[in-house]
Amino acid sequence: MRENLLSDPGRVTLRDYQDHLGPAGQTWVHEEDGVILGFSAATRATATIWALFIHPDHEGRGIGRGLLDCAVDWLWSQGAAEVGLTTGAGTRAEGFYRAAGWREASTTNGEIQFILPAAPLAPHP
């Protein structure tokens, strides 16, 4: 079963993707042998994860965690105090984000909003 399919893919436009390759954010891909197996995208202005998708045949290999870490690290480098994202309630993605340390901020219409506060910097010795 495939989860977190876009409920209205027509709402996501080519321009949305283009913006996350340039002015609005940043995008990362995981590629093997010339095939993209997953991607993540982050939005600078809202400090959010805009997308994180992995080909279902390649889930469970750590690709998603690696792509998520890239996006979060980039948002921290842009000065974000916390990072947010939304995902469907009761999905495997919900468990994935909880296991990665994300906190539930709210739930609306079956969508959970998660936040990840920036870790405090360790004191210098």
Side-chain angles (χ1 to χ4, degrees):
M1 179 176 161
R2 308 229 196 283
E3 293 183 335
N4 285 352
L5 296 174
L6 293 174
S7 58
D8 183 4
R11 284 187 6 192
V12 178
T13 66
L14 178 59
R15 179 64 185 202
D16 291 326
Y17 287 107
Q18 291 169 333
D19 284 347
H20 286 86
L21 295 172
Q26 187 78 14
T27 298
W28 299 262
V29 299
H30 179 94
E31 178 183 339
E32 292 179 11
D33 299 321
V35 177
I36 294 175
L37 303 180
F39 75 98
S40 66
T43 306
R44 178 184 296 116
T46 57
T48 56
I49 305 300
W50 180 68
L52 175 61
F53 291 96
I54 308 303
H55 189 286
D57 293 343
H58 298 278
E59 292 175 351
R61 296 180 42 207
I63 295 170
R65 184 57 192 257
L67 288 168
L68 179 62
D69 289 349
C70 287
V72 168
D73 288 348
W74 180 76
L75 288 167
W76 295 153
S77 78
Q78 300 301 299
E82 67 181 23
V83 175
L85 62 83
T86 59
T87 196
T91 62
R92 287 179 35 223
E94 176 188 351
F96 170 79
Y97 293 119
R98 288 186 191 282
W102 291 71
R103 264 188 316 133
E104 182 176 336
S106 64
T107 302
T108 307
N109 299 325
E111 290 284 313
I112 300 173
Q113 179 183 10
F114 282 105
I115 59 168
L116 183 67
L121 294 175
H124 291 281

